[in-house]
Amino acid sequence: MKEALIIVLAYLLGSIPTSVWVSRYFFDIDIREYGSGNAGATNTFRVLGSKWGTLVMIVDMLKGLLAVKLVYLLPYIIENDFARTNLQIGLGLAAVLGHIFPIWADFRGGKGVATLFGLVLGVSPWSSLCCVGVFLLVLYLTRFVSLSSILASIAFPIFILVIFNVDNHAYRIFAVAVALMVILTHQKNISRILKGSESKVPILKYRDRRKQRRREIKD
């Protein structure tokens, strides 16, 4: 009974529609009516800029991380590593589900990547930091948040199964499921990337301007 209650609490925590509230409070718009129509950090980067996109991304990550930490409300589970990890995954997934289908925003949310990362950060910090490295490298090279998310999610099971060789079978299955879920939820982004129509986030603008000036000088 207690487990069910904190899972519901994790869902409610994940349901906090960060981008929707930010866009309404500071800009008097609904972020879901602009850009890709998605209530996530990527669309916030695209529509509102890097400052607000970063804020939304951090808060959405914290939702997953805090949901995982709800396991400490049940002291009798903490001592059992296997049971603790499995419940943490369940709590994190409840938060991700809340992010995708938020009760506070008409069940129209985002894709859950940032919240999913918060889950991974809470359960496996080292592998999550490695995934951050992959994400930032791809973002620096391409400025596609969607592509960065996809490649970081693919790297996640590689870190879990091969490099860190985690022996929890439920977590190994979860790692593979994460990669598949992110790929499936980014089908439209993949299509736009292949067509060359995917929008880039407004970061590294000064670098791009320098490159443009160099091209103009050479021409």
Side-chain angles (χ1 to χ4, degrees):
M1 184 64 180
K2 291 181 179 179
E3 290 88 340
L5 287 175
I6 65 169
I7 287 175
V8 171
L9 181 58
Y11 166 77
L12 295 175
L13 178 62
S15 288
I16 297 173
T18 317
S19 63
V20 175
W21 287 356
V22 164
S23 64
R24 284 177 176 171
Y25 183 81
F26 293 101
F27 297 90
D28 198 27
I29 64 171
D30 187 335
I31 191 72
R32 296 170 295 183
E33 297 176 358
Y34 297 84
S36 66
N38 188 266
T42 301
N43 198 37
T44 306
F45 268 107
R46 186 180 294 119
V47 176
L48 303 182
S50 57
K51 172 186 174 181
W52 298 103
T54 301
L55 173 64
V56 169
M57 179 177 289
I58 291 173
V59 175
D60 286 348
M61 283 168 45
L62 287 174
K63 293 192 301 186
L65 178 60
L66 292 176
V68 166
K69 298 304 181 182
L70 291 175
V71 73
Y72 290 100
L73 295 176
L74 303 175
Y76 59 88
I77 286 182
I78 297 174
E79 297 179 359
N80 187 323
D81 291 340
F82 183 79
R84 184 185 69 246
T85 299
N86 290 345
L87 181 56
Q88 285 178 315
I89 292 173
L91 291 168
L93 289 177
V96 173
L97 186 65
H99 179 84
I100 298 173
F101 303 107
I103 192 173
W104 315 120
D106 304 319
F107 300 99
R108 293 172 53 213
K111 295 177 180 177
V113 175
T115 306
L116 190 61
F117 174 74
L119 186 173
V120 176
L121 181 62
V123 178
S124 182
W126 287 112
S127 59
S128 63
L129 291 176
C130 291
C131 291
V132 169
V134 174
F135 178 90
L136 292 176
L137 176 61
V138 178
L139 184 62
Y140 176 79
L141 295 175
T142 68
R143 287 190 290 131
F144 291 131
V145 174
S146 55
L147 181 61
S148 303
S149 300
I150 292 167
L151 293 182
S153 69
I154 292 173
F156 178 49
I158 295 175
F159 288 125
I160 295 299
L161 299 175
V162 181
I163 298 177
F164 294 107
N165 193 24
V166 176
D167 60 0
N168 185 318
H169 293 295
Y171 196 49
R172 291 162 72 92
I173 294 171
F174 166 72
V176 175
V178 165
L180 293 175
M181 186 184 76
V182 172
I183 292 172
L184 288 174
T185 56
H186 284 75
Q187 289 297 304
K188 291 182 180 179
N189 301 88
I190 293 172
S191 178
R192 288 196 294 266
I193 290 171
L194 294 175
K195 292 178 182 178
S197 58
E198 177 77 336
S199 299
K200 295 182 177 182
V201 295
I203 61 173
L204 304 175
K205 292 182 288 186
Y206 298 108
R207 184 197 67 176
D208 294 338
R209 288 171 185 168
R210 287 197 299 269
K211 286 185 177 180
Q212 183 63 32
R213 291 195 192 101
R214 291 190 191 114
R215 292 195 193 99
E216 292 173 352
I217 292 172
K218 288 180 180 179
D219 294 340

